[in-house]
Every structure is written in C-alpha cells, then in structure tokens.
Amino acid sequence: MNPSEFINLPPLLSARGSVRLPGSKSISNRVLLLAALSGGTTIVRDLLRSDDTDRMLEGLQTLGVTVESLGNNAYKVTGCGGDFPVKNAELFLGNAGTAFRPLTAALALSGGSYTLSGVARMHERPIGDLVDALRGLGADIAYLANDGFPPLQIKPATLSGAASVSVRGDVSSQFLTALLMALPLLGRTVTVEVIGELISKPYIEITLAMMARFGIVVLRDGWKSFTVAAGSRYVAPGEIYVEGDASSASYFLAAGAIGGGPVRVEGVGRGSIQGDVRFAGELAKMGAQIEMGDNWIEARAPVNGKLQAIDLDCNHIPDAAMTLAVAALFANGTTTLRNIASWRVKETDRIHAMATELRKVGALVEEGADYIRITGLSSEELGVSENRSAASILNPQSSILNPAAGIDTYDDHRMAMCFSLAAFGNAIRINDPRCVAKTFPDYFTEFAKVTQSVPVIAIDGPSASGKGTVAQRVANELGFHYLDSGALYRLLATAAMRDGVALDDEVALAGLASRMDIVFKGEQIWLDGAPVGDELRGEACAAGASKVAALHQVRAALLAKQRDFRKAPGLVTDGRDMGSVVFPDATLKIFLTASAQIRAERRYKQLKEKGMDAKIADLLQDIRARDERDTQRSAAPLQQYPDASLLDTTTLDVDQAVKFVLNGYQCKAP
Ligand SMILES: O=C(O)C1=C[C@@H](OP(=O)(O)O)[C@@H](O)[C@H](O)C1
Ligand SMILES: C=C(OP(=O)(O)O)C(=O)O
C-alpha cells in the first residue's frame, strides 16, 4: 500500500447503469478451502480474484494443493481429502479473516507444523476464542507474539477425542465458521456449543450452505449448537459457481438511491445465500425504491427524492452497514446504526474511522462502544430548494474542501468504497484508494461507469472575444451556475485591500482566497454578501491581481475555489485554462475566438456605450499584444486544445454563438 497515493473524484450528479459484480469473497474462500479438503476435483467458476482470495490460493498451494487456472476466473482445485501434502510450512495470510481463521482450524486438526502470520493489522485482530476452542480439542497452538492474536505456531498434536467443544460467538462468527469447516477432519461426531450471543449470523448460513454443497449436513439447534456427525466427508461437487459479492453490491445500490438510479447489480438477487443482500431491504427503509430478481437487484432514489434516516440493529449485515453510514449523509434526520461492536476489530477500528472521516465531510457524528449516530446535512436543514439534487448538500466549510486534505482509508477497502459515495455531495479525494484490492480491485473503474459527474461547459478564449457574454447566456439557458474565472484574482486583490492583507503575504492571501464567498448573478458579482462594483475594473485592482496571481499558494487555493463552483445541476465557466487545467474532464470544451479586428471593434462599441472614449487602432494594438503574452506564457498558455471545439465568432452574433454551445452540449450531456 502506498498511502501517498490518492484518487480525486469529481462531484457527482447522478448514478445509473448496471454492474456485474465480482465474486463473493466469503463464498470464494470457503469454496477454495472445502474443495481442497474434498476428495476429487472441483471446477470453481466466477471466483473472486482479489488480495483476500489470493492469500487463500497461495496458502493452499503452499500446502501442496494443486490449483489450476482455467482462465476467465475459473479454477480447477484438486482436493487432498483433508491430508495436506506439505506438513511443514509458513503461511502469510495478509489481512484476510476468511483465510486466516479457517486455515488455522483446518491446520490445527491436520497434523503438521505451520506458522501463520499476516499484516500488522491482522496481528491486532483477535483469534483467542478460536484458539481456545481448538485447544479444547487437543490442538497444539502457540501465540508467537501477543496472547490471543496472530501470528500463530501450530504443531502436530494428539487430539483429545472430546465429543463437544465450545466457542465464543460474540467477537467474530468466523471462529464458529472455521471450527465447523474443520470438524469433518476428525472423522467422529463433535458438537459445537456457542457461548454468548452469536454475531454476524448470516455468515454461518453461508458456511452451512457451502458445507452442504460439499456433501456435509450439519445438525443444528438454532444458533446454540451445531453437530458434525461421524463419517462426514467432503465430496467435490464437480462444478460450482460463486455468486456475486453482496457486500460489494451495497455501494452501487446506495449510489442508485442517492444519485437517482436506476442502478442494477447483477450476480446477486432473491436467490442469494449471502446475508448482505438484506442491505437492499434496509436501504428501502430509508425510502429507496428497490426491485429484485433471482440474480439482480436494482435501486432508485425515493419517490420524493429524499432518503430518510433510520435506526437499525445492523448485527446481521456488519459489512454492508458501513455503506448505510455514508448513505446517512444524504438522509433527512439522524441515523443510528446499532450493535456493530465487531466493527472495532476488523480491517481497522471502523467505528472510529467512520466517525472521523464523516466529520471531515461535515456530518455530525456520535460514536459509542457499539453504535454510530450520524446526522447528515440534508437539503431541508440547509434550506435549499426542493428540486436541487442530493449533490452540493455537504457542509461547504468542511475540511475536505481543503485540497491537501482527503478521506483517509486506514487500509480498509470498505472505507474507500463507502466514501466514494460522498462525491454525491462534493468533489472528494480518497487517499490510498488501492486498498480496495482486498475484495474489489476494479472498484473505482466500475463506480465511474455508473456515475455521472456534475457537467461543466468550459469556454476558453482570448480577451475581448465575448466568451463571458456567451458563457453567462448559456448558464442562464441551462439553469447552471456561472464562473468568470478571470474575476477571481481581481476579487482576491479587492478582498485583500478591503481586509488590509499585504499583497505579498502568500499564506494570508491563500487563506483569504479559500474563505472568499463569491456569487456571480448575471452581470453582477457578489463578494462576501456585498455587490462589487466598478472597482473590480479599476487600475489598482488590476495591478493587485497581477501581484497575487504570481503566488504559488494563491494559485493552488484559487484552483480549489474554481473547482468548488462545480455544483449541481452544472457549471458554465469561462477563462483561459478552464478546459485544460481547471476542469480537464469538462463535458464540453469550447475555444471561443474571433479575429483581432472584430474583437477590437466589439470592445470599441462596448466602451462607446459606456460613454468612454477610445480608438479602434489602439484597442487593436492592445489586443494583439495581449494575445501574444497569453499564448507565450509558460503557465497554462492560451491555446486551443485538441479536445476543444473551435467557435469562431468573427461572423456570428451572440445568439448564434450561444446556440452553437447549447447544441454542442445537447450532444454530450450526461
Ligand atoms: O465469514 C465471513 O465470510 C465473514 C464474516 C464477517 O465477520 P465477523 O463474523 O467477524 O463479523 C464479515 O465481516 C467478514 O467480512 C466475512
Ligand atoms: C471484515 C472483513 O474482512 P475479513 O474477512 O478479513 O474479516 C470485510 O471484508 O469487511
């Protein structure tokens, strides 16, 4: 992992489309292990390829199990009937709970010498309850560092012959899963008694369903005890398909609910054995419209457009519940997610991580030992109009607007995936996005395919080309926001002179630049709530603007400021580097120009109308000199980029130019 990497997500307007889900992590790793423990070969299709499943695949191969890739995520596993050929090995299992816990149990009962280790965080994730249970069966397991935690040393042992064993169920269900999957190796009847309230119950259902596919029916008394009968042997099912991952589905379903939808996920549905499909029902409680088929689920925004807060016991969906926490940002009211103590011992302390990062985007968060309570900033609370989409509702003062900040992901794939949804509020930076590789390496590519960013029409061009007039008119026609980027440096100079900030105090100027509240309304510009008049065009202001524009931190702050104007439903902006530097992903880029002669004539007419005196020849000379400077400068020189359409207005009037831009946008609109 490289924590210095990040991905910048643009502000999102909407979500629609369809995603084929990668295979379920929980099913993939169970199937691989059970296939290895079986006699015979198993063809596994649609297996998840990710860090967690790679750790299981490597582990099995180290143990001497033959796994052959057939291409297209299909694998042939030749089982060893529970007798691993390699009796002495060191396994590195990363941070994969579904590899570490089940392999610990299987190896503890299989008569070899093994050490099992993982990443640093894995060595902080508890395993004591499982080790205690295995020791109850006579297994020889030692802690190599801290008691109760990996790394572990397993040695051959004389197993006890006990008919029953107890395991605690209130820290992780993976301990019970691991025991159940390993018990058939003993060849005799053993009953597992569960001590304490079993958490994450649906994962036990997955375990039982997979064991059944490999020929072993576990007898059960509710959630209290489970019996594996003597003579139970895993039998390879021949061919097995892995369902799509229901936890991974949650991000796309939430995107549909927040961003309008419909967003469809393919690979899980009504027929799924994964508990996380119930996430869809919980999203429906927030108002989302959900439809479900046997192998697909589709989500849309609520009929009235607004998600509602919920108060929910999330013990049955510990992983997908994280997605609800971020969806809560976009809901009216306060959402409480309860009974999630297990979040504290997963990839990171997820309650703390979630609370910290949600606060960065402006949410009010209360964190408890086993709950999290989130108040998002709903449109109602901000008093913005009804027809505004969920976008732009986040707190404009939040620290995430500082370009140097970003959402930290704590090496937790779900933190990264969850916070991609916050882009429906504002542009967002996600740090260390590659941590998604734990379960979904292509996540951000897939997410980009079903989300549409807030559109930007970027109009660049030389001075006096009339681009400002055209841009304002286009913004009015479309009901979009408007940004006159050239005015920003002059506004900063004005604000600095107003506040007595020295024009060479880089740090103070950059702070002022990010604090300035600027509104463009038709021809009028408002700075911090007051209209700015002709002083913006004055000599003092122009000189101040050129001084502040030379300062690096000011340019960075103003870059962020310009990007903040990108709010739903869209932005029209004019300047010199809008399409090339500020909004390189603009929906439509126009290079608007006219001959120098016609620009001089237009400027002359403008000045005349204002009662000012001028000479066309002088104006023409000025314009030529300015063109020369703008095209020759080293920082973002003025030029038509290959992805911008040329709009030469030499022979066009304003109406015709506006029409050209609107037509161009029609063809490209999201
Ligand atoms: O058995 C499984 O496949 C899993 C069980 C759950 O863990 P806990 O039982 O520790 O909650 C879940 O969070 C994890 O991602 C996968
Ligand atoms: C808790 C998780 O992983 P693990 O299987 O490592 O427990 C998870 O994927 O959210």
Side-chain angles (χ1 to χ4, degrees), residues 345-363:
V345 292
K346 300 216 167 170
E347 279 77 339
T348 182
D349 175 344
R350 287 176 165 172
I351 295 185
H352 185 64
M354 189 55 89
T356 307
E357 303 309 310
L358 285 174
R359 286 185 188 119
K360 280 191 189 167
V361 293

mmCIF file with all atom_site columns, all heavy atoms in Angstrom, residues 345-363:
data_model
loop_
_atom_site.group_PDB
_atom_site.id
_atom_site.type_symbol
_atom_site.label_atom_id
_atom_site.label_alt_id
_atom_site.label_comp_id
_atom_site.label_asym_id
_atom_site.label_entity_id
_atom_site.label_seq_id
_atom_site.pdbx_PDB_ins_code
_atom_site.Cartn_x
_atom_site.Cartn_y
_atom_site.Cartn_z
_atom_site.occupancy
_atom_site.B_iso_or_equiv
_atom_site.pdbx_formal_charge
_atom_site.auth_seq_id
_atom_site.auth_comp_id
_atom_site.auth_asym_id
_atom_site.auth_atom_id
_atom_site.pdbx_PDB_model_num
ATOM 1   N N   . VAL A 1 345 ? -12.930 -4.438 15.491 1.00 0.00 ? 345 VAL A N   1
ATOM 2   C CA  . VAL A 1 345 ? -11.823 -5.402 15.357 1.00 0.00 ? 345 VAL A CA  1
ATOM 3   C C   . VAL A 1 345 ? -11.684 -5.915 13.922 1.00 0.00 ? 345 VAL A C   1
ATOM 4   O O   . VAL A 1 345 ? -11.214 -7.013 13.688 1.00 0.00 ? 345 VAL A O   1
ATOM 5   C CB  . VAL A 1 345 ? -11.977 -6.587 16.340 1.00 0.00 ? 345 VAL A CB  1
ATOM 6   C CG1 . VAL A 1 345 ? -11.785 -6.114 17.766 1.00 0.00 ? 345 VAL A CG1 1
ATOM 7   C CG2 . VAL A 1 345 ? -13.317 -7.295 16.180 1.00 0.00 ? 345 VAL A CG2 1
ATOM 8   N N   . LYS A 1 346 ? -12.086 -5.087 12.974 1.00 0.00 ? 346 LYS A N   1
ATOM 9   C CA  . LYS A 1 346 ? -11.949 -5.538 11.578 1.00 0.00 ? 346 LYS A CA  1
ATOM 10  C C   . LYS A 1 346 ? -10.710 -4.884 10.945 1.00 0.00 ? 346 LYS A C   1
ATOM 11  O O   . LYS A 1 346 ? -9.711  -4.692 11.625 1.00 0.00 ? 346 LYS A O   1
ATOM 12  C CB  . LYS A 1 346 ? -13.248 -5.274 10.847 1.00 0.00 ? 346 LYS A CB  1
ATOM 13  C CG  . LYS A 1 346 ? -14.391 -6.056 11.558 1.00 0.00 ? 346 LYS A CG  1
ATOM 14  C CD  . LYS A 1 346 ? -15.427 -6.615 10.691 1.00 0.00 ? 346 LYS A CD  1
ATOM 15  C CE  . LYS A 1 346 ? -16.245 -7.587 11.509 1.00 0.00 ? 346 LYS A CE  1
ATOM 16  N NZ  . LYS A 1 346 ? -17.437 -8.056 10.880 1.00 0.00 ? 346 LYS A NZ  1
ATOM 17  N N   . GLU A 1 347 ? -10.781 -4.532 9.670  1.00 0.00 ? 347 GLU A N   1
ATOM 18  C CA  . GLU A 1 347 ? -9.595  -4.032 8.977  1.00 0.00 ? 347 GLU A CA  1
ATOM 19  C C   . GLU A 1 347 ? -8.965  -2.849 9.714  1.00 0.00 ? 347 GLU A C   1
ATOM 20  O O   . GLU A 1 347 ? -7.779  -2.579 9.622  1.00 0.00 ? 347 GLU A O   1
ATOM 21  C CB  . GLU A 1 347 ? -9.952  -3.634 7.545  1.00 0.00 ? 347 GLU A CB  1
ATOM 22  C CG  . GLU A 1 347 ? -10.019 -4.795 6.576  1.00 0.00 ? 347 GLU A CG  1
ATOM 23  C CD  . GLU A 1 347 ? -11.261 -5.637 6.680  1.00 0.00 ? 347 GLU A CD  1
ATOM 24  O OE1 . GLU A 1 347 ? -11.932 -5.621 7.748  1.00 0.00 ? 347 GLU A OE1 1
ATOM 25  O OE2 . GLU A 1 347 ? -11.576 -6.346 5.709  1.00 0.00 ? 347 GLU A OE2 1
ATOM 26  N N   . THR A 1 348 ? -9.826  -2.094 10.391 1.00 0.00 ? 348 THR A N   1
ATOM 27  C CA  . THR A 1 348 ? -9.369  -1.016 11.266 1.00 0.00 ? 348 THR A CA  1
ATOM 28  C C   . THR A 1 348 ? -10.466 -0.903 12.325 1.00 0.00 ? 348 THR A C   1
ATOM 29  O O   . THR A 1 348 ? -11.434 -1.659 12.302 1.00 0.00 ? 348 THR A O   1
ATOM 30  C CB  . THR A 1 348 ? -9.198  0.291  10.458 1.00 0.00 ? 348 THR A CB  1
ATOM 31  O OG1 . THR A 1 348 ? -8.701  1.301  11.335 1.00 0.00 ? 348 THR A OG1 1
ATOM 32  C CG2 . THR A 1 348 ? -10.507 0.777  9.867  1.00 0.00 ? 348 THR A CG2 1
ATOM 33  N N   . ASP A 1 349 ? -10.312 0.034  13.244 1.00 0.00 ? 349 ASP A N   1
ATOM 34  C CA  . ASP A 1 349 ? -11.436 0.307  14.147 1.00 0.00 ? 349 ASP A CA  1
ATOM 35  C C   . ASP A 1 349 ? -12.441 1.109  13.317 1.00 0.00 ? 349 ASP A C   1
ATOM 36  O O   . ASP A 1 349 ? -12.319 2.324  13.157 1.00 0.00 ? 349 ASP A O   1
ATOM 37  C CB  . ASP A 1 349 ? -10.947 1.103  15.356 1.00 0.00 ? 349 ASP A CB  1
ATOM 38  C CG  . ASP A 1 349 ? -12.091 1.516  16.260 1.00 0.00 ? 349 ASP A CG  1
ATOM 39  O OD1 . ASP A 1 349 ? -13.256 1.460  15.822 1.00 0.00 ? 349 ASP A OD1 1
ATOM 40  O OD2 . ASP A 1 349 ? -11.814 1.893  17.410 1.00 0.00 ? 349 ASP A OD2 1
ATOM 41  N N   . ARG A 1 350 ? -13.397 0.398  12.746 1.00 0.00 ? 350 ARG A N   1
ATOM 42  C CA  . ARG A 1 350 ? -14.261 1.025  11.747 1.00 0.00 ? 350 ARG A CA  1
ATOM 43  C C   . ARG A 1 350 ? -15.216 2.055  12.348 1.00 0.00 ? 350 ARG A C   1
ATOM 44  O O   . ARG A 1 350 ? -15.658 2.962  11.637 1.00 0.00 ? 350 ARG A O   1
ATOM 45  C CB  . ARG A 1 350 ? -15.063 -0.051 11.001 1.00 0.00 ? 350 ARG A CB  1
ATOM 46  C CG  . ARG A 1 350 ? -14.215 -0.842 10.031 1.00 0.00 ? 350 ARG A CG  1
ATOM 47  C CD  . ARG A 1 350 ? -14.974 -1.961 9.360  1.00 0.00 ? 350 ARG A CD  1
ATOM 48  N NE  . ARG A 1 350 ? -14.234 -2.437 8.205  1.00 0.00 ? 350 ARG A NE  1
ATOM 49  C CZ  . ARG A 1 350 ? -14.556 -3.513 7.502  1.00 0.00 ? 350 ARG A CZ  1
ATOM 50  N NH1 . ARG A 1 350 ? -15.619 -4.238 7.832  1.00 0.00 ? 350 ARG A NH1 1
ATOM 51  N NH2 . ARG A 1 350 ? -13.835 -3.874 6.457  1.00 0.00 ? 350 ARG A NH2 1
ATOM 52  N N   . ILE A 1 351 ? -15.566 1.916  13.602 1.00 0.00 ? 351 ILE A N   1
ATOM 53  C CA  . ILE A 1 351 ? -16.466 2.927  14.183 1.00 0.00 ? 351 ILE A CA  1
ATOM 54  C C   . ILE A 1 351 ? -15.700 4.246  14.274 1.00 0.00 ? 351 ILE A C   1
ATOM 55  O O   . ILE A 1 351 ? -16.185 5.302  13.848 1.00 0.00 ? 351 ILE A O   1
ATOM 56  C CB  . ILE A 1 351 ? -17.001 2.493  15.569 1.00 0.00 ? 351 ILE A CB  1
ATOM 57  C CG1 . ILE A 1 351 ? -17.878 1.246  15.431 1.00 0.00 ? 351 ILE A CG1 1
ATOM 58  C CG2 . ILE A 1 351 ? -17.798 3.632  16.213 1.00 0.00 ? 351 ILE A CG2 1
ATOM 59  C CD1 . ILE A 1 351 ? -18.558 0.780  16.705 1.00 0.00 ? 351 ILE A CD1 1
ATOM 60  N N   . HIS A 1 352 ? -14.487 4.163  14.765 1.00 0.00 ? 352 HIS A N   1
ATOM 61  C CA  . HIS A 1 352 ? -13.699 5.375  14.916 1.00 0.00 ? 352 HIS A CA  1
ATOM 62  C C   . HIS A 1 352 ? -13.328 5.979  13.558 1.00 0.00 ? 352 HIS A C   1
ATOM 63  O O   . HIS A 1 352 ? -13.427 7.194  13.346 1.00 0.00 ? 352 HIS A O   1
ATOM 64  C CB  . HIS A 1 352 ? -12.441 5.076  15.738 1.00 0.00 ? 352 HIS A CB  1
ATOM 65  C CG  . HIS A 1 352 ? -11.657 6.304  16.026 1.00 0.00 ? 352 HIS A CG  1
ATOM 66  N ND1 . HIS A 1 352 ? -12.170 7.325  16.809 1.00 0.00 ? 352 HIS A ND1 1
ATOM 67  C CD2 . HIS A 1 352 ? -10.446 6.715  15.608 1.00 0.00 ? 352 HIS A CD2 1
ATOM 68  C CE1 . HIS A 1 352 ? -11.279 8.301  16.865 1.00 0.00 ? 352 HIS A CE1 1
ATOM 69  N NE2 . HIS A 1 352 ? -10.226 7.955  16.143 1.00 0.00 ? 352 HIS A NE2 1
ATOM 70  N N   . ALA A 1 353 ? -12.908 5.109  12.645 1.00 0.00 ? 353 ALA A N   1
ATOM 71  C CA  . ALA A 1 353 ? -12.508 5.588  11.312 1.00 0.00 ? 353 ALA A CA  1
ATOM 72  C C   . ALA A 1 353 ? -13.695 6.261  10.617 1.00 0.00 ? 353 ALA A C   1
ATOM 73  O O   . ALA A 1 353 ? -13.568 7.347  10.040 1.00 0.00 ? 353 ALA A O   1
ATOM 74  C CB  . ALA A 1 353 ? -12.001 4.425  10.468 1.00 0.00 ? 353 ALA A CB  1
ATOM 75  N N   . MET A 1 354 ? -14.841 5.614  10.690 1.00 0.00 ? 354 MET A N   1
ATOM 76  C CA  . MET A 1 354 ? -16.031 6.144  10.026 1.00 0.00 ? 354 MET A CA  1
ATOM 77  C C   . MET A 1 354 ? -16.410 7.501  10.624 1.00 0.00 ? 354 MET A C   1
ATOM 78  O O   . MET A 1 354 ? -16.689 8.466  9.907  1.00 0.00 ? 354 MET A O   1
ATOM 79  C CB  . MET A 1 354 ? -17.168 5.121  10.181 1.00 0.00 ? 354 MET A CB  1
ATOM 80  C CG  . MET A 1 354 ? -18.406 5.396  9.395  1.00 0.00 ? 354 MET A CG  1
ATOM 81  S SD  . MET A 1 354 ? -18.152 5.621  7.623  1.00 0.00 ? 354 MET A SD  1
ATOM 82  C CE  . MET A 1 354 ? -18.281 3.992  6.976  1.00 0.00 ? 354 MET A CE  1
ATOM 83  N N   . ALA A 1 355 ? -16.391 7.575  11.954 1.00 0.00 ? 355 ALA A N   1
ATOM 84  C CA  . ALA A 1 355 ? -16.764 8.828  12.627 1.00 0.00 ? 355 ALA A CA  1
ATOM 85  C C   . ALA A 1 355 ? -15.803 9.949  12.214 1.00 0.00 ? 355 ALA A C   1
ATOM 86  O O   . ALA A 1 355 ? -16.231 11.056 11.856 1.00 0.00 ? 355 ALA A O   1
ATOM 87  C CB  . ALA A 1 355 ? -16.741 8.629  14.140 1.00 0.00 ? 355 ALA A CB  1
ATOM 88  N N   . THR A 1 356 ? -14.511 9.644  12.214 1.00 0.00 ? 356 THR A N   1
ATOM 89  C CA  . THR A 1 356 ? -13.508 10.664 11.894 1.00 0.00 ? 356 THR A CA  1
ATOM 90  C C   . THR A 1 356 ? -13.700 11.197 10.473 1.00 0.00 ? 356 THR A C   1
ATOM 91  O O   . THR A 1 356 ? -13.677 12.402 10.229 1.00 0.00 ? 356 THR A O   1
ATOM 92  C CB  . THR A 1 356 ? -12.092 10.051 12.004 1.00 0.00 ? 356 THR A CB  1
ATOM 93  O OG1 . THR A 1 356 ? -11.979 9.451  13.291 1.00 0.00 ? 356 THR A OG1 1
ATOM 94  C CG2 . THR A 1 356 ? -11.007 11.092 11.828 1.00 0.00 ? 356 THR A CG2 1
ATOM 95  N N   . GLU A 1 357 ? -13.909 10.296 9.542  1.00 0.00 ? 357 GLU A N   1
ATOM 96  C CA  . GLU A 1 357 ? -13.975 10.727 8.135  1.00 0.00 ? 357 GLU A CA  1
ATOM 97  C C   . GLU A 1 357 ? -15.325 11.365 7.804  1.00 0.00 ? 357 GLU A C   1
ATOM 98  O O   . GLU A 1 357 ? -15.386 12.289 6.999  1.00 0.00 ? 357 GLU A O   1
ATOM 99  C CB  . GLU A 1 357 ? -13.651 9.560  7.201  1.00 0.00 ? 357 GLU A CB  1
ATOM 100 C CG  . GLU A 1 357 ? -12.280 8.925  7.459  1.00 0.00 ? 357 GLU A CG  1
ATOM 101 C CD  . GLU A 1 357 ? -11.122 9.927  7.510  1.00 0.00 ? 357 GLU A CD  1
ATOM 102 O OE1 . GLU A 1 357 ? -11.018 10.752 6.584  1.00 0.00 ? 357 GLU A OE1 1
ATOM 103 O OE2 . GLU A 1 357 ? -10.331 9.883  8.485  1.00 0.00 ? 357 GLU A OE2 1
ATOM 104 N N   . LEU A 1 358 ? -16.400 10.874 8.439  1.00 0.00 ? 358 LEU A N   1
ATOM 105 C CA  . LEU A 1 358 ? -17.704 11.511 8.189  1.00 0.00 ? 358 LEU A CA  1
ATOM 106 C C   . LEU A 1 358 ? -17.686 12.954 8.685  1.00 0.00 ? 358 LEU A C   1
ATOM 107 O O   . LEU A 1 358 ? -18.288 13.842 8.093  1.00 0.00 ? 358 LEU A O   1
ATOM 108 C CB  . LEU A 1 358 ? -18.837 10.738 8.872  1.00 0.00 ? 358 LEU A CB  1
ATOM 109 C CG  . LEU A 1 358 ? -19.251 9.425  8.205  1.00 0.00 ? 358 LEU A CG  1
ATOM 110 C CD1 . LEU A 1 358 ? -20.269 8.685  9.067  1.00 0.00 ? 358 LEU A CD1 1
ATOM 111 C CD2 . LEU A 1 358 ? -19.853 9.671  6.818  1.00 0.00 ? 358 LEU A CD2 1
ATOM 112 N N   . ARG A 1 359 ? -16.992 13.165 9.784  1.00 0.00 ? 359 ARG A N   1
ATOM 113 C CA  . ARG A 1 359 ? -16.890 14.550 10.288 1.00 0.00 ? 359 ARG A CA  1
ATOM 114 C C   . ARG A 1 359 ? -16.166 15.434 9.283  1.00 0.00 ? 359 ARG A C   1
ATOM 115 O O   . ARG A 1 359 ? -16.483 16.599 9.129  1.00 0.00 ? 359 ARG A O   1
ATOM 116 C CB  . ARG A 1 359 ? -16.157 14.580 11.635 1.00 0.00 ? 359 ARG A CB  1
ATOM 117 C CG  . ARG A 1 359 ? -17.029 14.064 12.761 1.00 0.00 ? 359 ARG A CG  1
ATOM 118 C CD  . ARG A 1 359 ? -16.364 14.202 14.134 1.00 0.00 ? 359 ARG A CD  1
ATOM 119 N NE  . ARG A 1 359 ? -17.175 13.528 15.122 1.00 0.00 ? 359 ARG A NE  1
ATOM 120 C CZ  . ARG A 1 359 ? -16.778 12.497 15.872 1.00 0.00 ? 359 ARG A CZ  1
ATOM 121 N NH1 . ARG A 1 359 ? -15.540 12.049 15.783 1.00 0.00 ? 359 ARG A NH1 1
ATOM 122 N NH2 . ARG A 1 359 ? -17.610 11.933 16.715 1.00 0.00 ? 359 ARG A NH2 1
ATOM 123 N N   . LYS A 1 360 ? -15.189 14.859 8.581  1.00 0.00 ? 360 LYS A N   1
ATOM 124 C CA  . LYS A 1 360 ? -14.445 15.670 7.599  1.00 0.00 ? 360 LYS A CA  1
ATOM 125 C C   . LYS A 1 360 ? -15.365 16.215 6.515  1.00 0.00 ? 360 LYS A C   1
ATOM 126 O O   . LYS A 1 360 ? -15.093 17.257 5.946  1.00 0.00 ? 360 LYS A O   1
ATOM 127 C CB  . LYS A 1 360 ? -13.348 14.833 6.928  1.00 0.00 ? 360 LYS A CB  1
ATOM 128 C CG  . LYS A 1 360 ? -12.092 14.669 7.741  1.00 0.00 ? 360 LYS A CG  1
ATOM 129 C CD  . LYS A 1 360 ? -11.022 14.069 6.833  1.00 0.00 ? 360 LYS A CD  1
ATOM 130 C CE  . LYS A 1 360 ? -9.800  13.668 7.607  1.00 0.00 ? 360 LYS A CE  1
ATOM 131 N NZ  . LYS A 1 360 ? -8.911  12.827 6.783  1.00 0.00 ? 360 LYS A NZ  1
ATOM 132 N N   . VAL A 1 361 ? -16.410 15.471 6.171  1.00 0.00 ? 361 VAL A N   1
ATOM 133 C CA  . VAL A 1 361 ? -17.302 15.985 5.132  1.00 0.00 ? 361 VAL A CA  1
ATOM 134 C C   . VAL A 1 361 ? -18.465 16.762 5.734  1.00 0.00 ? 361 VAL A C   1
ATOM 135 O O   . VAL A 1 361 ? -19.414 17.108 5.046  1.00 0.00 ? 361 VAL A O   1
ATOM 136 C CB  . VAL A 1 361 ? -17.820 14.872 4.179  1.00 0.00 ? 361 VAL A CB  1
ATOM 137 C CG1 . VAL A 1 361 ? -16.678 14.322 3.357  1.00 0.00 ? 361 VAL A CG1 1
ATOM 138 C CG2 . VAL A 1 361 ? -18.525 13.765 4.927  1.00 0.00 ? 361 VAL A CG2 1
ATOM 139 N N   . GLY A 1 362 ? -18.375 17.020 7.015  1.00 0.00 ? 362 GLY A N   1
ATOM 140 C CA  . GLY A 1 362 ? -19.333 17.952 7.614  1.00 0.00 ? 362 GLY A CA  1
ATOM 141 C C   . GLY A 1 362 ? -20.474 17.327 8.385  1.00 0.00 ? 362 GLY A C   1
ATOM 142 O O   . GLY A 1 362 ? -21.360 18.041 8.846  1.00 0.00 ? 362 GLY A O   1
ATOM 143 N N   . ALA A 1 363 ? -20.475 15.990 8.538  1.00 0.00 ? 363 ALA A N   1
ATOM 144 C CA  . ALA A 1 363 ? -21.580 15.361 9.273  1.00 0.00 ? 363 ALA A CA  1
ATOM 145 C C   . ALA A 1 363 ? -21.367 15.529 10.779 1.00 0.00 ? 363 ALA A C   1
ATOM 146 O O   . ALA A 1 363 ? -20.241 15.697 11.249 1.00 0.00 ? 363 ALA A O   1
ATOM 147 C CB  . ALA A 1 363 ? -21.644 13.880 8.936  1.00 0.00 ? 363 ALA A CB  1
#
